[in-house]
Amino acid sequence: MSSAHSTVPTAGSVPSPSSPSSTSSTVSSSASAASAASCGGAAPTIAELLEFVRRTARNEALIASLPLDPEGRTWIRLDGPGGSEAWLIGWPPGTGTGWHDHADSIGAFTTAAGALKEHSLAVRLPTDGWKTLELTDGVDRSRELATGQGRAFGQNHVHEVLNESEDVHAVSVHAYYPPLPRIRRFSRTGAVLRLEQTESPGDWQ
């Protein structure tokens, strides 16, 4: 992606064309390049993805290079370790991703500035063939991720990420491997989860 005004997705942790007033660009940071080299071409582990996003989140010059927009999320694409897909994302106050998953990709993200909140489901959703699903009790999880805090996750992780602040922009770093083959987006009413749409890489790159 070249630098341009574009739309961003409300997709979980990854931008996709759906929201106005967003800016995107692509950079290759020295931190990401070094991390990729250290992996020697091997597929990165969850631990390596988490280390990458934590280290990148401490790169003050890179974090400061992200254009911030009060109207919509902005992002810069990074070179992740071992061929992973990575993003630096800005979150205006009150914005969020909506419920989504990451197909068979593993991933990690860390808050680099401000604070984010993650709601997730401790359940593996069916791969295909359903439109609505009733969730059982006890599957909801929530966590606050202040500056410097992050988390890693395995395949088929279902979550939503929010900046609940009323006046502070948040910034975060995300990495996924393999690069996201698709994102499924969901709506939720009480215990009922509904599959709304499936996006492919062409929808957000």
Side-chain angles (χ1 to χ4, degrees):
M1 279 188 300
S2 60
S3 297
H5 283 283
S6 175
T7 52
V8 289
T10 50
S13 323
V14 172
S16 72
S18 62
S19 302
S21 304
S22 303
T23 303
S24 67
S25 59
T26 305
V27 301
S28 175
S29 68
S30 59
S32 61
S35 183
S38 69
C39 286
T45 64
I46 289 179
E48 288 169 335
L49 293 180
L50 184 58
E51 170 57 25
F52 167 78
V53 297
R54 285 175 169 168
R55 183 172 62 253
T56 304
R58 296 193 295 267
N59 185 332
E60 295 182 1
L62 178 63
I63 302 308
S65 73
L66 177 66
L68 301 181
D69 188 325
E71 300 300 325
R73 289 195 295 157
T74 53
W75 72 90
I76 293 174
R77 181 149 189 179
L78 308 173
D79 292 330
S84 61
E85 175 178 346
W87 302 87
L88 176 64
I89 301 177
W91 307 71
T95 56
T97 64
W99 288 97
H100 65 281
D101 70 1
H102 314 92
D104 293 326
S105 296
I106 60 173
F109 69 100
T110 291
T111 304
L116 293 171
K117 187 166 189 176
E118 182 200 39
H119 299 296
S120 61
L121 299 177
V123 62
R124 186 183 181 94
L125 301 182
T127 303
D128 292 298
W130 64 280
K131 279 301 226 179
T132 60
L133 190 68
E134 186 167 355
L135 302 171
T136 59
D137 292 338
V139 299
D140 285 285
R141 304 287 186 271
S142 293
R143 67 179 69 195
E144 301 278 353
L145 297 168
T147 299
Q149 295 182 330
R151 67 153 304 171
F153 50 83
Q155 297 175 331
N156 302 291
H157 182 64
V158 182
H159 72 168
E160 65 172 350
V161 181
L162 310 165
N163 177 6
E164 295 185 325
S165 172
E166 295 182 356
D167 54 11
V168 177
H169 222 103
V171 177
S172 57
V173 182
H174 305 247
Y176 309 90
Y177 186 86
L180 296 172
R182 66 175 183 172
I183 291 175
R184 294 188 297 180
R185 297 188 183 278
F186 313 102
S187 62
R188 183 174 178 182
T189 304
V192 177
L193 194 70
R194 175 181 290 274
L195 175 62
E196 297 293 348
Q197 67 183 88
T198 300
E199 296 180 357
S200 64
D203 294 318
W204 64 78
Q205 294 183 8

